Amino acid sequence: MEKIVSLCKRRGFIFQSSEIYGGLASTWDYGPLGAELKRNLKEAWWRSNVFERDDVEGLDASILMHPSVWIASGHVSNFEDTLVECKSCNKRHKIESIGKDKKCPLCGGELTGAHQFNLMLKTNLGPVKSDLSVTYMRPETAQGIFVNFVNVVNSMRRKIPFGIAQIGKSFRNEVTTGNFTFRSREFEQMEIEFFVKPGTDEEWYHKWVDERFNWYTKFGIKKENLKKREHAKDELAHYAKACTDIEYNFPFGWSELEGIANRTDFDLKQHMKLSGQNLEYYDDETKERYVPYVIEPSGGIDRSILAFLVDSYREEKVKDQKRVSLAIHKALAPIKAAVLPLLRNRPEIVKLAKDITNDLKKSFKAMYDDTASIGRLYRRQDEIGTPYCITVDVDSLSDNKVTVRDRDTMIQDRIAVGMVKEFLAEKLK
Ligand code: GAP
């Protein structure tokens, strides 16, 4: 884990938020390469779930919602941790993390009695601070989908079964922090609420568990590092009838990457109650009217990024030298190709290398680098997971060919300059 955290900072993937002020606990900033990786991950998820399926629509709802949403959803009364506080060091702990001795796990001090702590972050809207102006930073993106269910059915003429997908920020005032980005106070979720006819929910639940498990392996996570774990009844969230977590074997142990829950008709019925609106679905073929059940695959962008980084990190010996590489899926790699001139004091070589870079930039993220020796440049690109390096050398000037090196096999191909773009487009598919 230390190696990943260090690589993330050193190479511009992830920085501590507000670092110059000593940092803000459990909040993180994605640097230049992290921002690219995150965009690619979201793009891959959206492509698989919205573009490539014909039964899912996309949505981008606001973070701030009417406060009644959170009363209806049960988050105001149920989204809580039970905490105890140490009388000596004043640190708060979740009751589950306290040992049999009932002492502070940090300093051994005496603990206070238990009290409830709501995980939602409160804020005020408008110029007057009062109970009426209170709302919350959403703790899940899901509610934005539920309140728009009828809008999407009507505007897109959708028939059940179908789903609504959304990617966006969520906020939780987490008590247990640590493990890098794994448990953050501001994070991004990728969620689908899939609306089905009651009675077909079990079948759809199992389909989505498999679908989501396979998505992670499709993008390169090793199967042996993933497992499915079904929740025991007493672990289920207040809205769920069943839930399976997809867990990843993080360096700190098996932990949740994504949860797939059967949320039943809980949320839609609650919103019907509080809003007074009819959110039923009318099936004009069977002439039935019902409140759909919902299957919810809910994953975290930040946890996925961490899993993809950990899973692709490699250390090996090549010609007696340590080689560090990120064998990350090409679709996720922040930079797809780096163009490296072998001699930076030869203007013709530099010009050719820059022309190739500019041409590649029209198709994907490519970069030019001449700031070190070729060995060093390769090492830098390997460490950030760039799948292809293109070297321009003296011979390139006469044979009009360049060398394309594959990150994982380190095999080098000599390719005509005019064919590089096509060659890479094929490889990056
Ligand atoms: N709408 C359902 C829901 O929010 P959840 O299990 O609380 O369910 C879903 O969260 C996913 O969101 C988790 O599997 C995880 O990937 C991500 N997530 C939740 N809390 C997080 C946190 N504090 N930091 C980073 N990711 C988090």
Side-chain angles (χ1 to χ4, degrees):
M1 197 62 192
E2 268 169 32
K3 286 179 181 172
I4 296 292
V5 176
S6 149
L7 180 120
C8 281
K9 175 159 189 203
R10 204 162 22 87
R11 305 310 314 272
F13 282 92
I14 302 173
F15 308 127
Q16 170 78 68
S17 162
S18 321
E19 193 181 1
I20 59 168
Y21 288 98
L24 180 68
S26 295
T27 53
W28 302 94
D29 297 339
Y30 286 80
L33 297 186
E36 295 298 336
L37 171 54
K38 206 180 199 193
R39 288 183 67 229
N40 294 342
L41 183 85
K42 291 185 199 178
E43 168 72 20
W45 184 87
W46 195 266
R47 192 167 279 281
S48 304
N49 291 295
V50 183
F51 289 4
E52 291 172 11
R53 292 185 70 105
D54 51 20
D55 56 0
V56 176
E57 297 284 356
L59 183 79
D60 187 1
S62 62
I63 289 172
L64 296 172
M65 300 182 75
H66 194 287
S68 296
V69 166
W70 306 111
I71 298 170
S73 69
H75 284 83
V76 170
S77 46
N78 292 315
F79 198 53
E80 293 183 328
D81 277 341
T82 308
L83 300 185
V84 288
E85 194 170 325
C86 173
K87 289 181 184 171
S88 310
C89 70
N90 296 326
K91 284 271 175 333
R92 288 166 156 193
H93 307 282
K94 281 190 192 176
I95 195 124
E96 308 89 84
S97 64
I98 302 302
K100 282 199 182 108
D101 62 352
K102 303 233 162 47
K103 294 273 190 257
C104 173
L106 293 178
C107 72
E110 200 187 324
L111 299 170
T112 61
H115 61 274
Q116 298 301 112
F117 173 77
N118 193 290
L119 295 177
M120 281 197 295
L121 281 148
K122 254 189 200 166
T123 187
N124 287 81
L125 290 182
V128 183
K129 254 194 175 175
S130 75
D131 283 353
L132 294 176
S133 69
V134 166
T135 190
Y136 302 90
M137 309 289 283
R138 68 179 177 200
E140 60 169 10
T141 72
Q143 296 305 325
I145 298 180
F146 292 125
V147 300
N148 279 298
F149 168 65
V150 171
N151 284 338
V152 176
V153 169
N154 291 342
S155 58
M156 306 309 288
R157 298 181 310 280
R158 271 290 174 183
K159 300 227 174 303
I160 275 175
F162 86 97
I164 305 176
Q166 170 160 239
I167 295 177
K169 290 259 182 177
S170 291
F171 301 81
R172 296 184 190 176
N173 198 0
E174 296 285 1
V175 181
T176 316
T177 55
N179 286 336
F180 201 26
T181 56
F182 181 83
R183 199 176 300 285
S184 306
R185 290 186 166 129
E186 175 179 339
F187 55 96
E188 276 192 88
Q189 291 184 306
M190 38 191 188
E191 298 198 296
I192 300 169
E193 307 305 318
F194 198 82
F195 301 92
V196 303
K197 190 173 178 183
T200 63
D201 50 309
E202 302 267 333
E203 181 193 332
W204 278 107
Y205 168 65
H206 293 294
K207 268 192 200 166
W208 273 109
V209 171
D210 291 340
E211 177 78 21
R212 294 301 306 144
F213 186 95
N214 295 339
W215 186 82
Y216 289 102
T217 57
K218 178 179 167 192
F219 284 95
I221 300 255
K222 290 183 221 71
K223 226 174 176 168
E224 63 268 27
N225 286 335
L226 283 175
K227 72 177 179 197
K228 298 171 191 167
R229 190 183 70 80
E230 181 120 34
H231 281 208
K233 287 274 172 263
D234 63 354
E235 275 183 272
L236 290 171
H238 61 274
Y239 49 70
K241 166 178 155 188
C243 184
T244 297
D245 282 349
I246 297 175
E247 293 191 339
Y248 180 73
N249 190 10
F250 285 100
F252 44 83
W254 287 96
S255 306
E256 176 188 347
L257 194 55
E258 167 155 352
I260 297 96
N262 183 342
R263 285 182 86 128
T264 70
D265 53 7
F266 175 86
D267 300 87
L268 288 178
K269 277 198 169 152
Q270 283 294 106
H271 287 306
M272 281 174 70
K273 246 191 250 168
L274 256 88
S275 69
Q277 302 284 319
N278 187 2
L279 307 181
E280 284 174 322
Y281 172 78
Y282 178 65
D283 185 332
D284 52 14
E285 274 165 30
T286 63
K287 312 290 178 216
E288 283 174 286
R289 204 176 279 284
Y290 59 85
V291 179
Y293 265 40
V294 173
I295 306 305
E296 178 195 63
S298 171
I301 302 272
D302 311 80
R303 286 190 192 176
S304 294
I305 287 178
L306 191 55
F308 279 109
L309 287 172
V310 168
D311 214 72
S312 61
Y313 184 87
R314 307 265 184 285
E315 275 182 10
E316 62 198 318
K317 271 251 157 82
V318 176
K319 290 185 195 145
D320 272 350
Q321 290 223 328
K322 181 170 143 189
R323 176 179 185 250
V324 173
S325 64
L326 275 187
I328 199 159
H329 192 284
K330 289 165 192 168
L332 305 180
I335 292 166
K336 310 296 181 201
V339 187
L340 318 170
L342 208 60
L343 297 170
R344 64 185 143 163
N345 53 3
R346 291 281 299 266
E348 321 90 280
I349 293 181
V350 168
K351 179 174 183 314
L352 180 56
K354 286 190 173 168
D355 286 348
I356 295 171
T357 316
N358 289 335
D359 193 33
L360 294 180
K361 276 181 177 175
K362 291 178 195 145
S363 307
F364 44 73
K365 178 85 180 155
M367 69 174 282
Y368 168 89
D369 194 2
D370 67 4
T371 56
S373 68
I374 191 71
R376 194 114 179 242
L377 293 177
Y378 276 150
R379 281 204 295 283
R380 275 190 204 159
Q381 296 298 333
D382 287 343
E383 210 183 9
I384 61 171
T386 306
Y388 296 100
C389 286
I390 297 145
T391 317
V392 183
D393 53 30
V394 179
D395 291 342
S396 305
L397 299 175
S398 51
D399 66 5
N400 210 25
K401 287 182 174 172
V402 290
T403 302
V404 181
R405 171 186 176 269
D406 183 294
R407 174 196 68 200
D408 300 329
T409 61
M410 288 195 282
I411 290 174
Q412 305 197 353
D413 285 308
R414 198 82 185 152
I415 308 277
V417 170
M419 293 302 294
V420 170
K421 205 170 171 177
E422 211 175 297
F423 176 84
L424 291 184
E426 189 58 34
K427 294 270 188 189
L428 290 167
K429 253 188 200 161

